[in-house]
Amino acid sequence: SQTIHQWPATLVQPVGSPLSLECTVEGTSNPNLYWYRQAAGRGLQLLFYSVGIGQISSEVPQNLSASRPQDRQFILSSKKLLLSDSGFYLCAWTLDRSSYEQYFGPGTRLTVT
Amino acid sequence: DAKTTQPPSMDCAEGRAANLPCNHSTISGNEYVYWYRQIHSQGPQYIIHGLKNNETNEMASLIITEDRKSSTLILPHATLRDTAVYYCIVRVHSDSNYQLIWGAGTKLIIKP
């Protein structure tokens, strides 16, 4: 069966510090991968998606970046965090672009102080 | 911007049917309606989706109006574990991929 992991579960970082969040998927090959951010009491905002290694599409201009160094690994990064980067970050995967169900990881709660 | 409108919160008695409404008046002909739910501080969970016809699975039923401008998610026998935020979402086609456009959802509280 397929499993999606995210770490860390929670993170507190000062403004201006770097960020690296990791997401890995097990039990499937060549998944479509997604990074979302969720502000408190809000719906999910798509940040990045990837259809293959090294292929990243950005949906929202910001100081975040994403990379996919391996087939089942998706990394979200920032060189300098802003207060507005605080939120709940979720990684998700689908089998292909037309799959009707996205499978979500447990999420990382980031607080920028 | 979200393409759906939902009430911010609803209550339902345990054992009764929970009916969650959603308006999507600007939906296009080839855009699907999806429902996910999110239990506090967890990742969202897929429930059901549909295009034109009513759909039913082991979790819920989805009723879509004939003009497709609104839909209702029905949880037939709500339990306390169904307490969650329920998101009505429109899936749109963008470039080479499909995107789920999320709104703020409805917080459903099941009361004993």
Side-chain angles (χ1 to χ4, degrees):
Chain A
S1 62
Q2 299 87 1
T3 308
I4 180 168
H5 303 280
Q6 282 186 251
W7 62 91
T10 60
L11 190 60
V12 180
Q13 293 283 98
V15 169
S17 64
L19 173 74
S20 181
L21 302 180
E22 189 164 343
C23 169
T24 59
V25 180
E26 296 178 356
T28 188
S29 297
N30 197 30
N32 284 6
L33 297 172
Y34 304 81
W35 276 113
Y36 289 90
R37 177 170 60 200
Q38 185 176 32
R42 307 290 295 275
L44 276 64
Q45 178 187 38
L46 179 64
L47 301 175
F48 301 95
Y49 70 88
S50 171
V51 299
I53 296 174
Q55 301 178 62
I56 309 294
S57 296
S58 174
E59 292 300 313
V60 182
Q62 57 212 329
N63 69 323
L64 299 172
S65 62
S67 62
R68 185 169 177 175
Q70 301 180 42
D71 180 44
R72 290 171 288 179
Q73 185 185 30
F74 205 21
I75 297 173
L76 183 69
S77 304
S78 175
K79 293 182 179 179
K80 290 185 178 181
L81 284 169
L82 306 172
L83 286 174
S84 58
D85 291 324
S86 293
F88 192 42
Y89 288 82
L90 289 154
C91 181
W93 72 273
T94 61
L95 279 174
D96 55 50
R97 70 184 192 97
S98 63
S99 292
Y100 58 81
E101 181 173 356
Q102 289 191 6
Y103 302 89
F104 285 84
T108 294
R109 188 161 302 281
L110 171 66
T111 303
V112 182
T113 60
Chain B
D1 292 337
K3 299 190 71 172
T4 59
T5 305
Q6 299 176 255
S9 64
M10 291 181 62
D11 293 345
C12 180
E14 186 179 18
R16 304 295 295 271
N19 296 278
L20 293 93
C22 179
N23 287 322
H24 31 79
S25 58
T26 62
I27 195 169
S28 299
N30 60 349
E31 293 176 340
Y32 282 74
V33 177
Y34 282 69
W35 284 83
Y36 279 72
R37 73 179 183 184
Q38 186 176 26
I39 296 171
H40 182 63
S41 294
Q42 296 183 21
Q45 175 192 22
Y46 165 84
I47 301 173
I48 200 167
H49 76 285
L51 182 63
K52 296 179 181 178
N53 301 322
N54 297 337
E55 303 288 343
T56 295
N57 63 21
E58 65 277 5
M59 290 184 67
S61 295
L62 174 60
I63 308 299
I64 303 174
T65 58
E66 191 169 346
D67 63 8
R68 300 208 331 119
K69 292 185 177 181
S70 65
S71 60
T72 301
L73 179 75
I74 301 173
L75 307 178
H77 305 286
T79 71
L80 297 179
R81 288 177 295 181
D82 291 323
T83 292
V85 178
Y86 286 77
Y87 294 96
C88 172
I89 301 158
V90 170
R91 190 186 79 165
V92 303
H93 185 260
S94 175
D95 295 328
S96 61
N97 205 347
Y98 291 97
Q99 289 189 33
L100 301 178
I101 306 300
W102 299 69
T106 295
K107 185 173 184 178
L108 176 65
I109 299 174
I110 306 301
K111 297 187 173 181

